[in-house]
Amino acid sequence: QQQVKQSPQSLIVQKGGISIINCAYENTAFDYFPWYQQFPGKGPALLIAIRPDVSEKKEGRFTISFNKSAKQFSLHIMDSQPGDSATYFCAASISNEAGNMLTFGGGTRLMVKP
Amino acid sequence: DSGVTQTPKHLITATGQRVTLRCSPRSGDLSVYWYQQSLDQGLQFLIQYYNGEERAKGNILERFSAQQFPDLHSELNLSSLELGDSALYFCASSPLGSGDNEQFFGPGTRLTVL
């Protein structure tokens, strides 16, 4: 059962444009939603995270928008740069469980063209 | 560099064999997580250990096992290997065993089963 669905699978954006990646989840017990960035040959690295008590969180050029009623959240990358070219994963976890394993979306391969 | 180390970087073996992947968490982190990344299944949580004890279990096959030692390093043992076990195996660590604390990923071990 895929509990976190991510789209699109791939995305091509011009330099300076806005990249938007969307995720939808099924389990309403999820209460922590991080985004990870992965470059080829590297492990995923945390980019930004949000909890469902806020609708938006911004860190630099990266913004998460969260819609609790729709069970959706998205990552916006403003002023996209070639260095942002990577694979992005949304994830979700339940923070009050004994463990806090991450359930990942399928990933989005972003290419930013110069 | 996340501070999480994994060895070996690459592993090539044959079907039916057994291998051991090793992970050293960041200094001070008590939790270790194992994830499998494959083309068809994406990033999937396998198992979590916290301070030497199993904390959570995901879609880990019975042929796979893990443990965390007193010095907090962890090993993932994969036995009776099949072609479908070929994947990237990531270890992550975090300071706590639960809650929305950031997980830091290692560079991964690429396993190829021939």
Side-chain angles (χ1 to χ4, degrees), chain A residues 67-112:
Chain A
N67 186 330
K68 188 174 180 178
S69 60
K71 294 188 287 184
Q72 294 176 348
F73 58 110
S74 60
L75 175 69
H76 291 63
I77 305 174
M78 312 299 288
D79 187 26
S80 298
Q81 299 297 312
D84 297 329
S85 297
T87 301
Y88 293 81
F89 293 93
C90 62
S93 70
I94 304 170
S95 61
N96 63 355
E97 277 189 338
N100 58 332
M101 62 278 203
L102 294 168
T103 299
F104 284 91
T108 296
R109 186 170 292 185
L110 171 66
M111 180 186 297
V112 181

mmCIF file of all heavy atoms in Angstrom, chain A residues 67-112:
data_model
loop_
_atom_site.group_PDB
_atom_site.id
_atom_site.type_symbol
_atom_site.label_atom_id
_atom_site.label_comp_id
_atom_site.label_asym_id
_atom_site.label_seq_id
_atom_site.Cartn_x
_atom_site.Cartn_y
_atom_site.Cartn_z
ATOM 1 N N ASN A 67 -2.014 21.295 3.123
ATOM 2 C CA ASN A 67 -3.475 21.342 3.149
ATOM 3 C C ASN A 67 -3.980 20.110 3.887
ATOM 4 O O ASN A 67 -4.074 19.025 3.321
ATOM 5 C CB ASN A 67 -4.028 21.378 1.718
ATOM 6 C CG ASN A 67 -5.537 21.574 1.693
ATOM 7 O OD1 ASN A 67 -6.259 21.160 2.596
ATOM 8 N ND2 ASN A 67 -6.032 22.208 0.637
ATOM 9 N N LYS A 68 -4.280 20.291 5.164
ATOM 10 C CA LYS A 68 -4.639 19.154 6.010
ATOM 11 C C LYS A 68 -5.949 18.496 5.563
ATOM 12 O O LYS A 68 -6.072 17.281 5.540
ATOM 13 C CB LYS A 68 -4.755 19.602 7.469
ATOM 14 C CG LYS A 68 -4.933 18.476 8.459
ATOM 15 C CD LYS A 68 -4.895 18.999 9.881
ATOM 16 C CE LYS A 68 -5.069 17.869 10.886
ATOM 17 N NZ LYS A 68 -4.996 18.368 12.282
ATOM 18 N N SER A 69 -6.933 19.304 5.187
ATOM 19 C CA SER A 69 -8.236 18.748 4.820
ATOM 20 C C SER A 69 -8.153 17.913 3.543
ATOM 21 O O SER A 69 -8.832 16.897 3.389
ATOM 22 C CB SER A 69 -9.276 19.861 4.651
ATOM 23 O OG SER A 69 -8.868 20.752 3.630
ATOM 24 N N ALA A 70 -7.279 18.336 2.641
ATOM 25 C CA ALA A 70 -7.109 17.600 1.388
ATOM 26 C C ALA A 70 -6.065 16.496 1.521
ATOM 27 O O ALA A 70 -5.894 15.682 0.594
ATOM 28 C CB ALA A 70 -6.714 18.551 0.258
ATOM 29 N N LYS A 71 -5.364 16.462 2.637
ATOM 30 C CA LYS A 71 -4.280 15.506 2.858
ATOM 31 C C LYS A 71 -3.244 15.611 1.747
ATOM 32 O O LYS A 71 -2.826 14.598 1.147
ATOM 33 C CB LYS A 71 -4.828 14.078 2.997
ATOM 34 C CG LYS A 71 -5.677 13.896 4.251
ATOM 35 C CD LYS A 71 -6.060 12.447 4.500
ATOM 36 C CE LYS A 71 -7.095 11.987 3.519
ATOM 37 N NZ LYS A 71 -7.565 10.602 3.781
ATOM 38 N N GLN A 72 -2.836 16.863 1.485
ATOM 39 C CA GLN A 72 -1.844 17.113 0.448
ATOM 40 C C GLN A 72 -0.828 18.121 0.943
ATOM 41 O O GLN A 72 -1.130 18.983 1.774
ATOM 42 C CB GLN A 72 -2.543 17.662 -0.814
ATOM 43 C CG GLN A 72 -3.478 16.673 -1.493
ATOM 44 C CD GLN A 72 -4.216 17.283 -2.663
ATOM 45 O OE1 GLN A 72 -4.221 18.496 -2.850
ATOM 46 N NE2 GLN A 72 -4.825 16.444 -3.488
ATOM 47 N N PHE A 73 0.384 18.004 0.418
ATOM 48 C CA PHE A 73 1.401 19.007 0.700
ATOM 49 C C PHE A 73 2.321 19.093 -0.514
ATOM 50 O O PHE A 73 2.406 18.160 -1.314
ATOM 51 C CB PHE A 73 2.172 18.710 1.984
ATOM 52 C CG PHE A 73 2.878 17.378 2.041
ATOM 53 C CD1 PHE A 73 4.265 17.318 1.998
ATOM 54 C CD2 PHE A 73 2.167 16.196 2.177
ATOM 55 C CE1 PHE A 73 4.926 16.100 2.083
ATOM 56 C CE2 PHE A 73 2.811 14.975 2.255
ATOM 57 C CZ PHE A 73 4.203 14.926 2.208
ATOM 58 N N SER A 74 2.928 20.245 -0.650
ATOM 59 C CA SER A 74 3.733 20.469 -1.838
ATOM 60 C C SER A 74 5.001 21.248 -1.503
ATOM 61 O O SER A 74 5.054 21.964 -0.501
ATOM 62 C CB SER A 74 2.925 21.218 -2.902
ATOM 63 O OG SER A 74 2.503 22.466 -2.409
ATOM 64 N N LEU A 75 5.989 21.080 -2.366
ATOM 65 C CA LEU A 75 7.252 21.801 -2.252
ATOM 66 C C LEU A 75 7.347 22.762 -3.427
ATOM 67 O O LEU A 75 7.150 22.363 -4.579
ATOM 68 C CB LEU A 75 8.431 20.822 -2.288
ATOM 69 C CG LEU A 75 9.822 21.440 -2.285
ATOM 70 C CD1 LEU A 75 10.119 22.089 -0.930
ATOM 71 C CD2 LEU A 75 10.889 20.392 -2.620
ATOM 72 N N HIS A 76 7.629 24.013 -3.107
ATOM 73 C CA HIS A 76 7.854 25.014 -4.137
ATOM 74 C C HIS A 76 9.309 25.456 -4.051
ATOM 75 O O HIS A 76 9.776 25.836 -2.961
ATOM 76 C CB HIS A 76 6.952 26.237 -3.926
ATOM 77 C CG HIS A 76 5.507 25.976 -4.174
ATOM 78 N ND1 HIS A 76 4.757 25.091 -3.429
ATOM 79 C CD2 HIS A 76 4.648 26.494 -5.084
ATOM 80 C CE1 HIS A 76 3.515 25.080 -3.865
ATOM 81 N NE2 HIS A 76 3.420 25.910 -4.880
ATOM 82 N N ILE A 77 9.994 25.412 -5.182
ATOM 83 C CA ILE A 77 11.368 25.924 -5.238
ATOM 84 C C ILE A 77 11.332 27.168 -6.117
ATOM 85 O O ILE A 77 11.091 27.096 -7.324
ATOM 86 C CB ILE A 77 12.350 24.889 -5.825
ATOM 87 C CG1 ILE A 77 12.255 23.570 -5.043
ATOM 88 C CG2 ILE A 77 13.778 25.438 -5.784
ATOM 89 C CD1 ILE A 77 13.093 22.447 -5.653
ATOM 90 N N MET A 78 11.540 28.314 -5.466
ATOM 91 C CA MET A 78 11.519 29.581 -6.193
ATOM 92 C C MET A 78 12.888 29.827 -6.828
ATOM 93 O O MET A 78 13.907 29.361 -6.311
ATOM 94 C CB MET A 78 11.183 30.726 -5.234
ATOM 95 C CG MET A 78 9.986 30.457 -4.334
ATOM 96 S SD MET A 78 8.467 30.200 -5.254
ATOM 97 C CE MET A 78 8.165 31.868 -5.795
ATOM 98 N N ASP A 79 12.890 30.587 -7.934
ATOM 99 C CA ASP A 79 14.152 30.957 -8.588
ATOM 100 C C ASP A 79 15.040 29.713 -8.747
ATOM 101 O O ASP A 79 16.190 29.690 -8.302
ATOM 102 C CB ASP A 79 14.866 32.029 -7.761
ATOM 103 C CG ASP A 79 16.096 32.590 -8.451
ATOM 104 O OD1 ASP A 79 16.145 32.560 -9.696
ATOM 105 O OD2 ASP A 79 17.018 33.035 -7.739
ATOM 106 N N SER A 80 14.498 28.676 -9.346
ATOM 107 C CA SER A 80 15.215 27.400 -9.475
ATOM 108 C C SER A 80 16.559 27.590 -10.178
ATOM 109 O O SER A 80 16.674 28.366 -11.143
ATOM 110 C CB SER A 80 14.356 26.393 -10.243
ATOM 111 O OG SER A 80 13.154 26.132 -9.551
ATOM 112 N N GLN A 81 17.570 26.894 -9.666
ATOM 113 C CA GLN A 81 18.931 26.982 -10.180
ATOM 114 C C GLN A 81 19.409 25.611 -10.670
ATOM 115 O O GLN A 81 18.945 24.581 -10.167
ATOM 116 C CB GLN A 81 19.865 27.491 -9.085
ATOM 117 C CG GLN A 81 19.524 28.878 -8.566
ATOM 118 C CD GLN A 81 19.650 29.943 -9.641
ATOM 119 O OE1 GLN A 81 20.652 30.003 -10.365
ATOM 120 N NE2 GLN A 81 18.627 30.788 -9.764
ATOM 121 N N PRO A 82 20.357 25.604 -11.610
ATOM 122 C CA PRO A 82 20.882 24.301 -12.070
ATOM 123 C C PRO A 82 21.383 23.427 -10.932
ATOM 124 O O PRO A 82 21.278 22.206 -10.980
ATOM 125 C CB PRO A 82 22.016 24.721 -13.023
ATOM 126 C CG PRO A 82 21.569 26.033 -13.569
ATOM 127 C CD PRO A 82 20.880 26.725 -12.409
ATOM 128 N N GLY A 83 21.906 24.040 -9.895
ATOM 129 C CA GLY A 83 22.378 23.290 -8.724
ATOM 130 C C GLY A 83 21.269 22.617 -7.943
ATOM 131 O O GLY A 83 21.529 21.772 -7.088
ATOM 132 N N ASP A 84 20.022 22.974 -8.233
ATOM 133 C CA ASP A 84 18.879 22.319 -7.588
ATOM 134 C C ASP A 84 18.532 21.000 -8.271
ATOM 135 O O ASP A 84 17.675 20.257 -7.776
ATOM 136 C CB ASP A 84 17.647 23.227 -7.628
ATOM 137 C CG ASP A 84 17.837 24.525 -6.856
ATOM 138 O OD1 ASP A 84 18.590 24.521 -5.863
ATOM 139 O OD2 ASP A 84 17.225 25.547 -7.245
ATOM 140 N N SER A 85 19.145 20.732 -9.404
ATOM 141 C CA SER A 85 18.865 19.492 -10.138
ATOM 142 C C SER A 85 19.220 18.296 -9.265
ATOM 143 O O SER A 85 20.389 18.096 -8.894
ATOM 144 C CB SER A 85 19.662 19.453 -11.450
ATOM 145 O OG SER A 85 19.258 20.508 -12.303
ATOM 146 N N ALA A 86 18.224 17.519 -8.929
ATOM 147 C CA ALA A 86 18.370 16.413 -7.986
ATOM 148 C C ALA A 86 17.048 15.659 -7.966
ATOM 149 O O ALA A 86 16.093 16.036 -8.635
ATOM 150 C CB ALA A 86 18.697 16.937 -6.586
ATOM 151 N N THR A 87 17.014 14.610 -7.155
ATOM 152 C CA THR A 87 15.751 13.901 -6.918
ATOM 153 C C THR A 87 15.205 14.337 -5.568
ATOM 154 O O THR A 87 15.938 14.375 -4.582
ATOM 155 C CB THR A 87 15.940 12.378 -6.959
ATOM 156 O OG1 THR A 87 16.450 12.004 -8.240
ATOM 157 C CG2 THR A 87 14.607 11.662 -6.730
ATOM 158 N N TYR A 88 13.938 14.671 -5.543
ATOM 159 C CA TYR A 88 13.287 15.150 -4.322
ATOM 160 C C TYR A 88 12.264 14.125 -3.850
ATOM 161 O O TYR A 88 11.484 13.600 -4.646
ATOM 162 C CB TYR A 88 12.610 16.496 -4.576
ATOM 163 C CG TYR A 88 13.618 17.589 -4.840
ATOM 164 C CD1 TYR A 88 14.195 17.735 -6.098
ATOM 165 C CD2 TYR A 88 14.028 18.441 -3.814
ATOM 166 C CE1 TYR A 88 15.154 18.710 -6.337
ATOM 167 C CE2 TYR A 88 14.974 19.421 -4.044
ATOM 168 C CZ TYR A 88 15.541 19.544 -5.310
ATOM 169 O OH TYR A 88 16.498 20.500 -5.538
ATOM 170 N N PHE A 89 12.290 13.861 -2.559
ATOM 171 C CA PHE A 89 11.358 12.912 -1.965
ATOM 172 C C PHE A 89 10.548 13.612 -0.880
ATOM 173 O O PHE A 89 11.121 14.260 0.001
ATOM 174 C CB PHE A 89 12.096 11.742 -1.318
ATOM 175 C CG PHE A 89 12.810 10.841 -2.275
ATOM 176 C CD1 PHE A 89 14.142 11.052 -2.587
ATOM 177 C CD2 PHE A 89 12.150 9.767 -2.854
ATOM 178 C CE1 PHE A 89 14.812 10.221 -3.466
ATOM 179 C CE2 PHE A 89 12.811 8.921 -3.742
ATOM 180 C CZ PHE A 89 14.149 9.155 -4.047
ATOM 181 N N CYS A 90 9.238 13.456 -0.933
ATOM 182 C CA CYS A 90 8.444 13.827 0.221
ATOM 183 C C CYS A 90 8.354 12.610 1.123
ATOM 184 O O CYS A 90 8.577 11.476 0.689
ATOM 185 C CB CYS A 90 7.051 14.305 -0.182
ATOM 186 S SG CYS A 90 6.045 13.067 -1.026
ATOM 187 N N ALA A 91 8.056 12.838 2.369
ATOM 188 C CA ALA A 91 7.957 11.740 3.326
ATOM 189 C C ALA A 91 6.969 12.128 4.420
ATOM 190 O O ALA A 91 6.564 13.286 4.531
ATOM 191 C CB ALA A 91 9.325 11.408 3.913
ATOM 192 N N ALA A 92 6.597 11.133 5.194
ATOM 193 C CA ALA A 92 5.687 11.368 6.308
ATOM 194 C C ALA A 92 6.007 10.386 7.421
ATOM 195 O O ALA A 92 6.491 9.273 7.162
ATOM 196 C CB ALA A 92 4.237 11.201 5.856
ATOM 197 N N SER A 93 5.750 10.816 8.645
ATOM 198 C CA SER A 93 5.937 9.909 9.772
ATOM 199 C C SER A 93 4.954 10.265 10.876
ATOM 200 O O SER A 93 4.301 11.308 10.835
ATOM 201 C CB SER A 93 7.367 9.951 10.296
ATOM 202 O OG SER A 93 7.631 11.176 10.942
ATOM 203 N N ILE A 94 4.856 9.361 11.835
ATOM 204 C CA ILE A 94 3.985 9.562 12.992
ATOM 205 C C ILE A 94 4.895 9.790 14.181
ATOM 206 O O ILE A 94 5.583 8.868 14.625
ATOM 207 C CB ILE A 94 3.084 8.335 13.216
ATOM 208 C CG1 ILE A 94 2.281 8.042 11.949
ATOM 209 C CG2 ILE A 94 2.167 8.562 14.409
ATOM 210 C CD1 ILE A 94 1.540 6.717 11.977
ATOM 211 N N SER A 95 4.912 10.998 14.708
ATOM 212 C CA SER A 95 5.936 11.350 15.693
ATOM 213 C C SER A 95 5.678 10.796 17.076
ATOM 214 O O SER A 95 6.575 10.754 17.895
ATOM 215 C CB SER A 95 6.093 12.866 15.774
ATOM 216 O OG SER A 95 4.891 13.463 16.185
ATOM 217 N N ASN A 96 4.466 10.359 17.368
ATOM 218 C CA ASN A 96 4.216 9.869 18.728
ATOM 219 C C ASN A 96 4.300 8.356 18.816
ATOM 220 O O ASN A 96 4.008 7.773 19.844
ATOM 221 C CB ASN A 96 2.857 10.361 19.238
ATOM 222 C CG ASN A 96 1.705 9.820 18.408
ATOM 223 O OD1 ASN A 96 1.918 9.153 17.401
ATOM 224 N ND2 ASN A 96 0.492 10.097 18.829
ATOM 225 N N GLU A 97 4.727 7.736 17.737
ATOM 226 C CA GLU A 97 4.936 6.298 17.803
ATOM 227 C C GLU A 97 6.289 6.017 18.446
ATOM 228 O O GLU A 97 7.158 6.884 18.479
ATOM 229 C CB GLU A 97 4.916 5.694 16.403
ATOM 230 C CG GLU A 97 3.525 5.402 15.875
ATOM 231 C CD GLU A 97 3.575 4.601 14.592
ATOM 232 O OE1 GLU A 97 4.599 4.623 13.896
ATOM 233 O OE2 GLU A 97 2.555 3.961 14.284
ATOM 234 N N ALA A 98 6.468 4.824 18.901
ATOM 235 C CA ALA A 98 7.741 4.449 19.504
ATOM 236 C C ALA A 98 8.874 4.615 18.511
ATOM 237 O O ALA A 98 9.962 5.046 18.861
ATOM 238 C CB ALA A 98 7.673 3.014 20.000
ATOM 239 N N GLY A 99 8.639 4.276 17.294
ATOM 240 C CA GLY A 99 9.612 4.509 16.244
ATOM 241 C C GLY A 99 9.134 5.649 15.398
ATOM 242 O O GLY A 99 7.996 6.080 15.523
ATOM 243 N N ASN A 100 9.951 6.213 14.579
ATOM 244 C CA ASN A 100 9.496 7.289 13.707
ATOM 245 C C ASN A 100 10.024 7.087 12.296
ATOM 246 O O ASN A 100 10.654 7.957 11.732
ATOM 247 C CB ASN A 100 9.891 8.654 14.250
ATOM 248 C CG ASN A 100 11.392 8.792 14.437
ATOM 249 O OD1 ASN A 100 12.085 7.829 14.654
ATOM 250 N ND2 ASN A 100 11.889 10.009 14.348
ATOM 251 N N MET A 101 9.727 5.901 11.779
ATOM 252 C CA MET A 101 10.211 5.611 10.441
ATOM 253 C C MET A 101 9.506 6.488 9.423
ATOM 254 O O MET A 101 8.347 6.854 9.598
ATOM 255 C CB MET A 101 10.000 4.129 10.090
ATOM 256 C CG MET A 101 8.558 3.683 10.065
ATOM 257 S SD MET A 101 7.949 3.324 11.697
ATOM 258 C CE MET A 101 6.616 2.233 11.275
ATOM 259 N N LEU A 102 10.227 6.793 8.372
ATOM 260 C CA LEU A 102 9.705 7.636 7.310
ATOM 261 C C LEU A 102 9.070 6.784 6.225
ATOM 262 O O LEU A 102 9.614 5.760 5.816
ATOM 263 C CB LEU A 102 10.833 8.466 6.704
ATOM 264 C CG LEU A 102 11.471 9.510 7.631
ATOM 265 C CD1 LEU A 102 12.749 10.046 7.023
ATOM 266 C CD2 LEU A 102 10.496 10.633 7.908
ATOM 267 N N THR A 103 7.878 7.221 5.774
ATOM 268 C CA THR A 103 7.241 6.646 4.598
ATOM 269 C C THR A 103 7.454 7.625 3.466
ATOM 270 O O THR A 103 7.023 8.787 3.553
ATOM 271 C CB THR A 103 5.740 6.425 4.832
ATOM 272 O OG1 THR A 103 5.562 5.523 5.919
ATOM 273 C CG2 THR A 103 5.089 5.838 3.583
ATOM 274 N N PHE A 104 8.145 7.197 2.415
ATOM 275 C CA PHE A 104 8.539 8.092 1.346
ATOM 276 C C PHE A 104 7.586 8.035 0.162
ATOM 277 O O PHE A 104 6.997 6.991 -0.139
ATOM 278 C CB PHE A 104 9.942 7.738 0.840
ATOM 279 C CG PHE A 104 11.055 8.179 1.740
ATOM 280 C CD1 PHE A 104 11.546 7.347 2.731
ATOM 281 C CD2 PHE A 104 11.624 9.431 1.598
ATOM 282 C CE1 PHE A 104 12.571 7.747 3.566
ATOM 283 C CE2 PHE A 104 12.660 9.851 2.416
ATOM 284 C CZ PHE A 104 13.133 9.000 3.411
ATOM 285 N N GLY A 105 7.472 9.166 -0.534
ATOM 286 C CA GLY A 105 6.846 9.182 -1.837
ATOM 287 C C GLY A 105 7.814 8.595 -2.855
ATOM 288 O O GLY A 105 8.957 8.282 -2.534
ATOM 289 N N GLY A 106 7.354 8.459 -4.089
ATOM 290 C CA GLY A 106 8.131 7.788 -5.121
ATOM 291 C C GLY A 106 9.303 8.597 -5.683
ATOM 292 O O GLY A 106 10.137 8.041 -6.392
ATOM 293 N N GLY A 107 9.353 9.885 -5.372
ATOM 294 C CA GLY A 107 10.470 10.703 -5.840
ATOM 295 C C GLY A 107 10.139 11.481 -7.106
ATOM 296 O O GLY A 107 9.339 11.050 -7.935
ATOM 297 N N THR A 108 10.757 12.644 -7.229
ATOM 298 C CA THR A 108 10.638 13.487 -8.426
ATOM 299 C C THR A 108 12.032 13.880 -8.872
ATOM 300 O O THR A 108 12.790 14.461 -8.093
ATOM 301 C CB THR A 108 9.830 14.761 -8.136
ATOM 302 O OG1 THR A 108 8.494 14.411 -7.798
ATOM 303 C CG2 THR A 108 9.820 15.693 -9.362
ATOM 304 N N ARG A 109 12.352 13.554 -10.115
ATOM 305 C CA ARG A 109 13.653 13.938 -10.644
ATOM 306 C C ARG A 109 13.526 15.307 -11.286
ATOM 307 O O ARG A 109 12.820 15.464 -12.285
ATOM 308 C CB ARG A 109 14.130 12.899 -11.659
ATOM 309 C CG ARG A 109 15.538 13.146 -12.159
ATOM 310 C CD ARG A 109 16.039 11.977 -12.967
ATOM 311 N NE ARG A 109 16.240 10.789 -12.136
ATOM 312 C CZ ARG A 109 16.766 9.651 -12.582
ATOM 313 N NH1 ARG A 109 17.118 9.529 -13.840
ATOM 314 N NH2 ARG A 109 16.918 8.628 -11.788
ATOM 315 N N LEU A 110 14.183 16.287 -10.690
ATOM 316 C CA LEU A 110 14.122 17.672 -11.165
ATOM 317 C C LEU A 110 15.367 18.006 -11.964
ATOM 318 O O LEU A 110 16.489 17.760 -11.521
ATOM 319 C CB LEU A 110 13.999 18.632 -9.987
ATOM 320 C CG LEU A 110 14.137 20.125 -10.312
ATOM 321 C CD1 LEU A 110 12.975 20.600 -11.184
ATOM 322 C CD2 LEU A 110 14.210 20.960 -9.033
ATOM 323 N N MET A 111 15.135 18.576 -13.152
ATOM 324 C CA MET A 111 16.241 19.097 -13.944
ATOM 325 C C MET A 111 15.976 20.575 -14.188
ATOM 326 O O MET A 111 14.915 20.947 -14.706
ATOM 327 C CB MET A 111 16.365 18.366 -15.277
ATOM 328 C CG MET A 111 17.516 18.890 -16.132
ATOM 329 S SD MET A 111 17.580 18.159 -17.776
ATOM 330 C CE MET A 111 17.870 16.467 -17.380
ATOM 331 N N VAL A 112 16.929 21.410 -13.814
ATOM 332 C CA VAL A 112 16.819 22.847 -14.047
ATOM 333 C C VAL A 112 17.771 23.203 -15.175
ATOM 334 O O VAL A 112 18.986 23.055 -15.049
ATOM 335 C CB VAL A 112 17.155 23.649 -12.782
ATOM 336 C CG1 VAL A 112 17.015 25.148 -13.061
ATOM 337 C CG2 VAL A 112 16.257 23.227 -11.628
#
